[in-house]
Structure formats: C-alpha cells, structure tokens
Amino acid sequence: MRYFISFLFFSIIPFGLWSQNLYTISGFVKDDVNEDAMGAGVQLKTTDGSLQGYTSCNEDGSFVITDVPNGKFKLIVSSIGLKNIEKDVEISNGNLNVGILKFTSNTTELKGVVVKGSRIATQQNNDTTSYNADAFKVNPDATAEDLARKMPGVDLSGGQVKAQGEKVGKVLVDGKPFFGDDASSTLRNLPAEVVNKIQVYDEKSEQSRLTGVDDGETIKTINIVTKLEKREGVFGKVYAGAGTDANNVFKNGNGGSNDFLYNLGGNINSFKGDRRISIVAQSNNINNQNFSSQDLLGVASSGGGRRGFGGRGGNSTGNFLVNDRSGVAITNAFGINYTDKLGKKVDLTASYFFNKSNTVNNQITNRNYVSSINEGQQYSETNNSNSINLNHRINARLTYNIDSFNTLIWVPSLSLQANNNSSELLGATSDPIDILNRTQNDFKSELSGYNYSNMLMYFHRFKKAGRSFNIYQNINGNSNSGNSKFLAYNNFYTNPALDDTLNQQSDIDRTGITIRTNFQYTEPITKSSNIQLSYSNSYQKTNSSKLTDNFDPITNDYVLMDSLLSNKYTSYYNTNSVGLAYGHFNKLIRMNLGVEGQYARLEGERVLPMATPIDRDFKNILPRAMMRFTINKNENIGLFYRTRTNAPSVNQLQDVIDNTNPLQLSSGNPLLNQSYSHNLFTRYSLTSPKQNSTFFAMIRGSVTQDYVANNTVIAENDTLIRPGVILAKGGQYISQTNLDGNYSLSGFTTYGRPIDFLKSNVNLNLSAGINRIPGLINGAKNFSNNKNLGLGVVFSSNISEKIDFTLSSNTNMNFVKNTLNTRADNNFLNQSTRLSANYIFWKGMVVNTELNHQFYSGLISSSNQNYLLWNASLGKKLFKKQQAEVKLSVFDIMGQNASFTQTYTDAYNETLQNNVLQRYFMLTFTYNIRAFKSGSSEKDMERTNTPSRMNMHGGGHH
C-alpha cells in the first residue's frame, strides 16, 4: 500500500511540467519611520483594474509577486493608517526589482465625508488571517489576551491558546520572538492599546522560508503587529495586592494554614527602533502561574506506562506542570527578552526565564474497568503531593545575512531544572462485594537535569533564480538524574500471605543525545516548477539506569540490591533518508509532491538484570503531498498529506518493573517495533470584507500501523507475571505491544461576523471527532471508540471602551463505546459558560464581574458536577490621566470552585478530581506605564483612527 501511494503521487507529476513566459516583481517596503513594513499588502493590477497578483511583505519588508506576464501594470502597496503607495510598472521579457518603496503618513483630512458601517474586522490573504484590533473594542487597560478572546477562531480556554482549531505553537511581535514560544505569556504581557492587528497563519519551516519551496511543514503562529506610534517608548504595568483566604483552604508546603494571600508583579517594555527589551516578573500564592511546557525540561517519556521520571499521576510531567484547575501553587517568576539588529546584517533575539513553583495537589482518582471479566471492579485513590520545581531557561536566535546569496541561522537553547517531590498515596481495589487490595505509601524524590539544543543552518542561493542549497543540523541533549525513597504497606485481602512492606531507595540516571542533519538542493525546471533533492540522517542514543536497593535492618541502610526492580539499558536509533520532491506554483495552485526512502536501525542492550541485545532494522517508503488552491485573495483551500515513522522510546523498551504503586504495576517491552502513521489535513478559509465575516473549516485524520498500545493484565486470581513478581487478585499490570487499528478523525468549523445594530460580534463554532484506541486486556483485544461533538458560541460587545463584555458557551458531548464489553460504554457531557463584563462609569469607577459555570453529566465520581465560579471587583481610577487603579476583588463568591477531568482508555474509564483555590478577598493597586515618543502619540493616534483604517489589507509570511 505504501509503494502504491508513492507511485500514485509521482504519476501525476507531469501535470505541472508546462510553463509560460512568466516573470517576477520584487522589492522592499519601508514605513514612515523607516522600519520594515512587515505584513503590508501588495497588489498588482492590470490597466483595466483587475487583480493580477497579490502578496504581503515578509519580516524584512521584502515582497515577491510571481507569475507575471509581459505588460503594463499598477503596483499598489497598502497598510493600516498609511497612505497607499501606487507605482506604474512594466514587464518586458524579464524580472523586475522596483527597489525600496516608502510609505508616507496619511494626514489628509476627509472633510464633508461621512463613513457609515463598521471597520473591516477580518481579512484573508492566502493562508494568513488578519484581525483589525480597532474593530474589537476593549477597556483601556485590557491586554492582548482580552483582545484575542473576541476574535473569531481564537480560543483561550483550558489554559492553551488555539487558533482555527489548532494549538498555537508560536507568538511573534512584529515578526520577532517574544519570550520564546510561550503564547500565553506574550498575550498576557502586551497591552491591547499597542496592537494594530493580529495575524494568524501557518509559519513555514526555516528551509521553506529561505528556499521559497513550500514543503507543507508548518507551525500555527500568531503575529502581533504593533501600532507605529507605539513602537518607540516605554510601556507596561506594575501591581501589588494583598488579601485573605476566606475559607482557609490554602495549605502551604509545610501543611499549615495560610490566611495571608499576595499577588505582586508587572511588566516593562522598552521599544526603540529595532531594539526591544521586555521584563516580566511575578510572585504570588493565589495559583497564578506563568510557565509553559518548555519549563518542564522534557522529563516526560514519549509514551508507555503511567509513571515517568520518578513521577506520580497521569504522566511524568504531572509533578511539574500544574494548570489553573489542578492543585494550588506558590509561584515566583522572572523573565527578560532582548531583540535588536546588530549592524545591518545580524538580527538577534535572546531571552532568559526563571521560575520557581511550590505546588500542592490533592488528587482523587476513581476508575471503572472495561473488561466484562472485571465488570464491577473499581479502583480508587487519594494522592496528596507537594512539588517544588526550580527552572532556568535561556533561548536565543541569531540570523546573519552574510550577503544576498548566503544566510546563517543559529538557534541555541538551554534549560536547567531541579525538583523535590513528596507524596502520600492511599489506593484500593474493590469488586461489588469486597475490598480486594489496599496500599498506603510515601514517596520522596530529589531530581535534577538539563535540556539543551543547538540548531545551525546555512543557506546558499545561487545566481540562477530558484537554485539553492542548504544544510541543517540540530543537536539535542538531555540528562535527568536523582534518587527517590519509597515506603509502602500493602494488604491483599484474598491472600494475606502476600501482604508486605516495601522500603526502597532508587538511583535514577538517564542521558540522551539526538543529532539530526539534513541536506537539501533545489533546482528550477521552469519558471513555475522545481525539484528538490534531500538527504537526512538522525542518530539517537539514550542511556537509562534505575538501580533499586531494599532497606537492610541489620546495617540500617539501603544495601540490598533488588534485581527485579533494577535495570540498565542503552538504545541506539539511526535513520537515513533520501528524498525527491517536485514543486509547482502559479497564481492558482502551489503544490509539492515528494517521497522519501528511509532505512532505520534500532539497537539496544540491556545490561541488568541480564544481558539482552536488540537489533532490528526497518525499511519504509514515506510519501507526502501539499496543495494550496488560491480561489481569490479572500478564499483558499489547503490539502496536506504526510507519513511518519516513530521509534519506541527507551521507557517503552525498558522492561524494568515500576512499583511506585504496588497495585498498579507497569513496565516496557524490548520487543516493540517502529510505528508508521499516515496523516491527512485539509482546510478551507473564506473572509467577506463586504459582510465583515470570516469562515474557517478543517478536517484532520490519522491512521497508525504498529501503534504502541497498552497490554493490560487485571488479575482474576494471584498471577505470576514474571519470575519473582506476583500480581495479586484485582491488581493491574500494564506493558506495551504493537497493534493495528488506531485511527482518529476530527473536524472543526467557525463562523464570525459583527451584529451592527447590537454593536457586538458573534462567533459560532462546531467540532466533531472520533478516536479509536486499540489495546489488550487479559489477552483479548479491545477497541475504545470515543466520539465527541462540540458546539460553541462567543458573543462580545463592541459598544465602547467603557462597556466591555464577552459571553461564551461551549458544550461537548462524548460517546464512549468498547468492543470488548458494551456494558462499559458511557456518555459524558460537559457544558461550560463564561460571562465577563467591565463597566467604567462615574469619575473613573470600574465594576468587573466574571461568572464561569460548569456542568458535568456522566462522571464516574459522585462529587458535585454542577458549580458556579463567580469573581467580582470594584475599582477606582486614580491620577490625572487615570493611569492607576485601586480595586477590591472577591474570588469564588459562591465558594463552589471545583476541578474534574474525565479520561477514557482502552482498559478503563477514569475521573480525576483536584483541589482548587476557593473564596478569597484581595485589595490591589495597579499602575500603568505609558511613555511613548514625545510629540508623536496624539498625532499618530489621530492618524491611525482616521477612516483610512478601513482600507486594511492582511499580511503574513509567504
């Protein structure tokens, strides 16, 4: 099947091998302060006014319009708040470079002209969606996060930033990184008043941007374009708050009560031309956290068992990553970001981030098993943990434009982490009649580690247009080490002879390095087509060691090595791939069809408890395809297909028993094979400037062969799972195996437009999907099919800066069906509604209220599944320019805040409930810093708010 698909792709390559006498028009655009006019729209029109071509300026202000025939044209360049550039050009048997085009301020008074209707809110330019910030009204002190919530297709629920149904992997400010790739931090620390527009697009890979060959490798990106008058000056805010915990529910790291609550922090941004310095800091004990998954060092395993790097909970990052609804944390964080041009050829961005968090998480787990053999069997657990995590993160990016033919890019990063964790767990398994087993244990760990990466890429452009060569290398390394202590009292009521006490100490040491190298050569065939030749190599080596010693009462020390719980393992995974691709592009279609031949070899050696070698190789054909159809400048369709292989991780291969919960054992499987997946993604975008509406739809699907699935044993009786290891009746043991039959399919659509007579915006979204997970339960294959259907609506005000409200509601229904036991099927509904309202009235008085209602139906847990989180505040603006505010806030007025998570697997259905912070009061003083370039602010504000703003054109990276 793989070979047939590859043959099919290459059989249609001749489709694009025709060409015409077409040429390019290129140039650079500068704005009125001589900065690169990234995102400006560039149109090419014929003498009769019809559109010949359209593009937008890149990060450096450059643009290229392709596929232009001989003839006379008018070149029109436009940007919000600036007077259009219009230039007559002529193509005569050759490419044309128009040089540097410069905007001038649009200061023309529109006397006697009355403009009716709303500002254009959204525009589409190929794959870039641009939102006009002035079309969405928010309060003067609002953040970019408040602004983004109102924009169609942008979702900030659940602690993640999503756009058009996809997770946002990067947020840029004027095309440059801002605090790494942490989308949430960027949006929270930029005031809405500096935002000109927000662009959402798929950022291409480094190779694609430099070569101009679109290979379909993208990352969902938000680019915040700031207002011209806000690009030089100092702005930000500082705040300090103190309060009391009304319900006395917060417990500090020592287990005592803490009635005093505090919240300190701020951000300061200094912008001057290309140099931008930003500083953020915060310290609080009210569970405001400000770190991303990059802070977590990469200690998580890529799959497999329930435990990871000495961790507890659903995954190995559980001790470190605590979201707003999972435990309560004390947080201290500091970050600094620096961006500048070093001379004319070097661009530099660098950031440093520090974070220390102390998290208390009290978690209750309820689990029902799927298998009919174990029908009625339940597992329940309470786990009270305290984790102190310390992290330093350094990121940098340096681009050296050596000359017009050569570019060098260097991207290093380093993360250092230390973690101390302690937990107390009480777990029990029961059937409808009796308790089968019980464990009570204490766990402590002291861990440290680092992650680093070093990416270096060299790009060379030849004199012949379209011919290029680049070499890319990325080195990633990590080290995790430390020790843990484990004390457990275990009771097995069906066989008391198995009752035991475990007193153990483990030393953990894991190191890894991955080196990826890629060569790519591009050769033009015609003016509108090319071929790409590539070679890539990936070398990965991982050493993993876990040495466990039992306590010896004679020596009063941990000196008795436990060979069943000790393991040393080294794995090597090496791949070599050779690829060939064909690209074709014109004003209607851009496509890239390619195939790779890949040879991979997996080697491993287990030293303890016995020497066991692994040596397997894999040969695969990996086809891929990318097609983008541009119907017009406001409408496009994209189709992307890619195949991938994934090797099992060292955790999945390492078959040492993890007994951190003696009732829930797990281990890896050294016989696992590589998995092979097909991934298909298609999307459709449409904006209507006339109706001021936007519509977006996408479908995503994947099929995986040799999926790494769970092989679960739930003991009907006392069972010997390996020499010396007995799984008592009711106990659970999970290892891994390769199974076919895994697939997923999901769809998402959103529609947004203003309602003029209500002075508001409405966004509607609909989602649906199915996820099929195979697994083995006591040797019998089970497929867990989770179907979901979601409906959402966002209704937001556009009345004035003094009245601001957003009402949103999302309803999600899950239908879970199991092939092994239909009586274990379950339907689960979650309905979430949020209302946020701000009103500024008499002499700067400010009223704010926020209500979050959560309704659950179908949870395994019998706890409260219907609750309301209500927050409110009353404030007063201070000083002449009202740049300060003092306010009294009440959090969780009703005292109902709660947290639930429902999980479905191939073997069981599970509900997790975590402690949260409940009712408290806080008095806060906030001071907003606004010191922009003297003499320009009021004039520029007047300019950028003229009706010429309605002539907005979207932009992005192409």
Side-chain angles (χ1 to χ4, degrees):
M1 181 64 180
R2 303 174 194 171
Y3 297 90
F4 171 74
I5 294 174
S6 178
F7 170 77
L8 181 63
F9 284 159
F10 278 96
S11 68
I12 65 173
I13 284 179
F15 162 77
L17 290 178
W18 56 272
S19 65
Q20 307 174 33
N21 292 324
L22 302 175
Y23 305 98
T24 63
I25 295 179
S26 60
F28 287 84
V29 179
K30 300 286 186 179
D31 61 27
D32 60 348
V33 290
N34 205 35
E35 292 190 1
D36 302 330
M38 185 195 68
V42 185
Q43 302 178 68
L44 187 68
K45 291 188 175 182
T46 61
T47 53
D48 63 2
S50 60
L51 186 66
Q52 171 66 38
Y54 185 89
T55 188
S56 57
C57 293
N58 297 311
E59 295 179 18
D60 58 355
S62 64
F63 69 89
V64 178
I65 296 180
T66 59
D67 308 315
V68 184
N70 287 322
K72 295 182 178 181
F73 305 91
K74 183 178 288 294
L75 190 68
I76 303 172
V77 187
S78 58
S79 184
I80 298 174
L82 298 175
K83 186 176 181 179
N84 287 354
I85 300 171
E86 296 188 4
K87 183 178 180 66
D88 294 324
V89 296
E90 182 177 0
I91 293 292
S92 179
N93 297 320
N95 298 331
L96 176 65
N97 189 311
V98 298
I100 297 176
L101 305 176
K102 190 170 182 179
F103 282 112
T104 58
S105 298
N106 189 357
T107 57
T108 303
E109 296 291 338
L110 301 179
K111 297 180 180 179
V113 177
V114 178
V115 180
K116 295 184 178 180
S118 58
R119 290 189 174 100
I120 295 176
T122 310
Q123 282 199 320
Q124 189 74 28
N125 178 22
N126 292 330
D127 64 345
T128 298
T129 304
S130 294
Y131 302 98
N132 181 4
D134 280 358
F136 303 90
K137 291 192 178 299
V138 292
N139 287 149
D141 297 335
T143 66
E145 182 179 49
D146 300 321
L147 185 64
R149 285 185 186 275
K150 295 192 172 188
M151 296 179 172
V154 179
D155 179 14
L156 280 76
S157 62
Q160 290 185 341
V161 181
K162 292 183 178 180
Q164 300 170 342
E166 300 180 74
K167 181 180 177 182
V168 173
K170 180 181 291 188
V171 171
L172 306 175
V173 176
D174 293 325
K176 298 177 181 180
F178 190 86
F179 288 102
D181 296 332
D182 192 337
S184 296
S185 291
T186 299
L187 293 173
R188 290 170 187 164
N189 290 293
L190 275 180
E193 67 179 275
V194 307
V195 180
N196 187 0
K197 61 183 174 181
I198 291 181
Q199 300 172 326
V200 178
Y201 63 96
D202 293 311
E203 183 175 273
K204 299 177 179 65
S205 63
E206 298 283 3
Q207 290 95 331
S208 293
R209 293 203 299 275
L210 289 172
T211 63
V213 177
D214 191 346
D215 59 8
E217 288 283 358
T218 61
I219 181 173
K220 185 62 70 176
T221 300
I222 286 179
N223 179 42
I224 299 175
V225 181
T226 60
K227 294 177 180 177
L228 295 176
E229 72 275 10
K230 305 296 185 182
R231 294 183 183 177
E232 189 157 339
V234 178
F235 61 93
K237 69 176 181 180
V238 291
Y239 57 88
T244 181
D245 186 344
N247 286 348
N248 196 25
V249 296
F250 183 86
K251 302 293 182 181
N252 63 24
N254 298 321
S257 63
N258 188 349
D259 292 325
F260 177 73
L261 300 178
Y262 63 91
N263 185 24
L264 309 171
N267 66 83
I268 298 176
N269 305 274
S270 175
F271 284 15
K272 185 176 182 179
D274 293 313
R275 189 189 68 199
R276 299 187 173 188
I277 302 173
S278 299
I279 299 174
V280 294
Q282 72 167 3
S283 177
N284 70 83
N285 64 352
I286 59 172
N287 207 34
N288 286 343
Q289 300 164 63
N290 191 22
F291 58 89
S292 71
S293 58
Q294 291 186 45
D295 293 307
L296 302 185
L297 179 102
V299 299
S301 61
S302 59
R306 190 164 177 266
R307 305 287 195 259
F309 176 52
R312 283 187 170 280
N315 57 63
S316 57
T317 65
N319 294 326
F320 317 112
L321 180 63
V322 180
N323 58 39
D324 292 339
R325 300 284 299 279
S326 183
V328 179
I330 300 173
T331 301
N332 295 282
F334 170 83
I336 182 169
N337 189 82
Y338 177 84
T339 300
D340 201 358
K341 260 188 176 300
L342 307 181
K344 295 182 179 180
K345 295 185 176 183
V346 179
D347 293 325
L348 173 66
T349 298
S351 65
Y352 166 74
F353 187 78
F354 164 81
N355 180 281
K356 181 180 180 182
S357 62
N358 183 345
T359 305
V360 175
N361 190 11
N362 302 324
Q363 182 173 279
I364 299 174
T365 303
N366 290 285
R367 179 182 301 172
N368 286 344
Y369 290 93
V370 168
S371 173
S372 58
I373 298 175
N374 311 103
E375 191 168 352
Q377 182 172 311
Q378 295 183 329
Y379 172 75
S380 61
E381 173 186 296
T382 59
N383 185 2
N384 301 324
S385 65
N386 178 223
S387 177
I388 300 175
N389 193 58
L390 185 69
N391 180 270
H392 300 267
R393 186 178 73 215
I394 301 172
N395 292 292
R397 176 188 175 92
L398 187 145
T399 301
Y400 178 28
N401 298 300
I402 302 171
D403 53 39
S404 59
F405 296 101
N406 299 280
T407 302
L408 189 67
I409 299 175
W410 179 41
V411 184
S413 69
L414 174 66
S415 176
L416 305 174
Q417 184 180 27
N419 173 267
N420 292 333
N421 178 65
S422 63
S423 66
E424 298 177 352
L425 182 146
L426 179 63
T429 307
S430 61
D431 60 22
I433 301 175
D434 299 311
I435 296 178
L436 303 179
N437 51 49
R438 181 176 180 272
T439 183
Q440 180 179 354
N441 61 62
D442 296 329
F443 178 86
K444 293 182 179 179
S445 63
E446 295 183 1
L447 310 168
S448 62
Y450 62 81
N451 259 10
Y452 69 87
S453 68
N454 189 53
M455 191 280 282
L456 189 65
M457 188 174 79
Y458 168 73
F459 172 80
H460 176 72
R461 182 185 294 108
F462 294 88
K463 290 185 178 180
K464 182 178 180 179
R467 179 183 291 171
S468 65
F469 167 80
N470 70 81
I471 178 172
Y472 162 96
Q473 186 174 76
N474 193 13
I475 301 175
N476 291 277
N478 63 79
S479 174
N480 308 316
S481 61
N483 62 80
S484 64
K485 290 185 177 182
F486 179 56
L487 176 63
Y489 304 96
N490 308 307
N491 301 106
F492 304 94
Y493 298 103
T494 59
N495 187 0
L498 297 177
D499 290 355
D500 66 349
T501 298
L502 301 177
N503 191 354
Q504 300 169 340
Q505 177 176 281
S506 297
D507 292 320
I508 303 163
D509 189 12
R510 181 176 301 147
T511 59
I513 186 170
T514 302
I515 303 174
R516 295 184 177 90
T517 306
N518 183 74
F519 302 86
Q520 186 181 74
Y521 174 79
T522 302
E523 177 67 23
I525 302 175
T526 68
K527 294 290 185 180
S528 60
S529 61
N530 55 52
I531 61 171
Q532 306 106 48
L533 302 175
S534 64
Y535 166 76
S536 61
N537 171 266
S538 176
Y539 171 80
Q540 179 178 330
K541 178 183 178 182
T542 306
N543 294 307
S544 183
S545 170
K546 181 180 180 181
L547 303 178
T548 301
D549 295 316
N550 291 312
F551 183 77
D552 182 2
I554 298 177
T555 61
N556 199 34
D557 199 0
Y558 297 91
V559 295
L560 303 176
M561 182 177 178
D562 193 327
S563 60
L564 296 175
L565 302 176
S566 298
N567 192 286
K568 282 187 177 182
Y569 195 96
T570 300
S571 71
Y572 304 88
Y573 184 63
N574 191 31
T575 64
N576 288 276
S577 302
V578 178
L580 175 65
Y582 166 77
H584 174 77
F585 50 91
N586 56 41
K587 62 182 179 181
L588 295 178
I589 184 174
R590 299 180 66 89
M591 71 175 184
N592 188 281
L593 308 176
V595 67
E596 285 186 4
Q598 184 190 83
Y599 172 77
R601 187 170 185 179
L602 175 65
E603 299 178 89
E605 183 177 5
R606 182 178 64 179
V607 178
L608 286 174
M610 63 183 68
T612 306
I614 294 176
D615 191 352
R616 294 194 294 278
D617 59 6
F618 310 93
K619 301 179 182 69
N620 291 290
I621 297 295
L622 302 173
R624 59 183 172 87
M626 182 282 299
M627 295 184 181
R628 301 179 192 265
F629 302 90
T630 302
I631 301 172
N632 55 58
K633 68 175 184 179
N634 294 318
E635 188 175 10
N636 66 80
I637 300 174
L639 178 66
F640 310 88
Y641 169 75
R642 184 169 289 276
T643 53
R644 298 182 187 276
T645 59
N646 289 288
S649 69
V650 68
N651 280 352
Q652 294 171 327
L653 294 169
Q654 196 172 8
D655 59 348
V656 61
I657 293 286
D658 184 344
N659 73 329
T660 47
N661 183 340
L663 311 184
Q664 310 278 312
L665 304 178
S666 64
S667 77
N669 177 7
L671 302 180
L672 289 175
N673 289 322
Q674 174 192 72
S675 62
Y676 184 103
S677 62
H678 304 262
N679 300 279
L680 179 67
F681 175 66
T682 182
R683 64 162 174 250
Y684 170 75
S685 298
L686 171 66
T687 60
S688 173
K690 183 178 180 181
Q691 296 182 347
N692 223 352
S693 65
T694 179
F695 176 80
F696 177 85
M698 72 91 165
I699 298 175
R700 182 190 301 275
S702 68
V703 177
T704 302
Q705 300 165 240
D706 283 329
Y707 173 78
V708 178
N710 285 336
N711 181 5
T712 305
V713 175
I714 303 172
E716 301 175 56
N717 299 292
D718 298 342
T719 304
L720 183 69
I721 58 175
R722 66 173 60 178
V725 180
I726 296 176
L727 185 66
K729 181 180 179 180
Q732 173 186 292
Y733 169 66
I734 295 180
S735 60
Q736 285 77 46
T737 188
N738 292 110
L739 292 175
D740 291 334
N742 169 253
Y743 67 80
S744 65
L745 181 66
S746 62
F748 173 83
T749 183
T750 182
Y751 174 78
R753 65 169 299 167
I755 304 176
D756 292 335
F757 72 92
L758 292 177
K759 294 185 178 181
S760 300
N761 302 304
V762 63
N763 305 314
L764 304 173
N765 62 74
L766 179 67
S767 62
I770 181 172
N771 188 21
R772 189 176 194 238
I773 303 175
L776 294 178
I777 304 176
N778 290 351
K781 185 178 290 187
N782 178 56
F783 290 97
S784 175
N785 298 285
N786 185 1
K787 299 178 183 178
N788 61 80
L789 182 65
L791 176 65
V793 59
V794 179
F795 184 77
S796 58
S797 68
N798 227 9
I799 301 171
S800 74
E801 292 185 344
K802 293 187 176 182
I803 300 176
D804 180 22
F805 68 84
T806 301
L807 174 65
S808 63
S809 181
N810 288 282
T811 302
N812 292 281
M813 187 71 190
N814 288 267
F815 308 89
V816 181
K817 295 186 178 298
N818 297 276
T819 58
L820 196 60
N821 180 17
T822 58
R823 290 190 297 274
D825 297 346
N826 189 28
N827 297 333
F828 164 64
L829 180 141
N830 171 228
Q831 201 275 334
S832 175
T833 302
R834 177 181 182 269
L835 172 63
S836 176
N838 296 273
Y839 178 42
I840 303 176
F841 60 106
W842 178 73
K843 293 185 178 181
M845 296 296 294
V846 183
V847 174
N848 168 270
T849 188
E850 180 178 326
L851 295 97
N852 287 276
H853 179 259
Q854 296 285 337
F855 174 73
Y856 294 88
S857 176
L859 291 180
I860 299 170
S861 172
S862 60
S863 302
N864 181 21
Q865 301 173 19
N866 184 6
Y867 59 90
L868 176 68
L869 174 61
W870 180 18
N871 307 325
S873 68
L874 176 64
K876 175 70 171 68
K877 298 287 186 182
L878 303 175
F879 307 142
K880 183 178 180 181
K881 295 182 179 180
Q882 296 193 342
Q883 66 268 40
E885 179 183 278
V886 59
K887 70 177 179 180
L888 177 65
S889 306
V890 185
F891 177 84
D892 189 19
I893 295 173
M894 307 295 290
Q896 295 182 5
N897 193 20
S899 171
F900 296 96
T901 303
Q902 186 83 16
T903 304
Y904 302 96
T905 74
D906 56 291
Y908 52 80
N909 303 331
E910 181 178 80
T911 297
L912 300 179
Q913 181 180 356
N914 297 278
N915 65 310
V916 293
L917 191 63
Q918 291 189 319
R919 185 188 299 123
Y920 67 83
F921 301 89
M922 182 156 288
L923 184 66
T924 305
F925 175 81
T926 303
Y927 185 84
N928 291 291
I929 302 168
R930 300 290 187 269
F932 294 102
K933 186 177 179 180
S934 176
S936 66
S937 179
E938 291 184 6
K939 180 179 178 181
D940 290 339
M941 281 293 289
E942 182 178 315
R943 182 193 73 214
T944 56
N945 283 301
T946 61
S948 64
R949 254 192 194 284
M950 296 180 65
N951 298 321
M952 185 188 112
H953 291 282
H957 298 66
H958 301 282

